[in-house]
Amino acid sequence: MNKALPILAGALLSGCVPRIEIAAPKEPITINMNVKIEHEIEIKADKDVQKLLKNGEDAPLRQ
């Protein structure tokens, strides 16, 4: 009986295995985001570039 007790306890404990189940939901997950993005772009240019932009010239500056 003394030898049978550890064998019996081992057999009973081996049947207690935790089970983890991962399943996808039946309906798709929807995320509603109400986001407002505001931005400002600041361009700094030197005086020669400002002259080109003001005159609408595409030619490069000549010195």
Side-chain angles (χ1 to χ4, degrees):
M1 181 76 177
N2 289 338
K3 292 182 182 181
L5 186 61
I7 295 172
L8 181 62
L12 289 174
L13 290 177
S14 67
C16 298
V17 179
R19 187 176 93 172
I20 298 173
E21 185 176 325
I22 299 174
K26 294 179 182 178
E27 296 181 13
I29 299 171
T30 57
I31 300 172
N32 295 324
M33 295 175 58
N34 198 6
V35 179
K36 182 178 180 181
I37 299 174
E38 294 181 13
H39 63 278
E40 290 184 21
I41 300 173
E42 185 176 330
I43 299 174
K44 294 183 181 180
D46 60 7
K47 291 179 184 179
D48 293 335
V49 174
Q50 287 179 359
K51 286 180 188 176
L52 281 175
L53 293 174
K54 187 175 182 179
N55 295 334
E57 299 176 12
D58 292 333
L61 292 175
R62 294 188 181 135
Q63 294 182 1

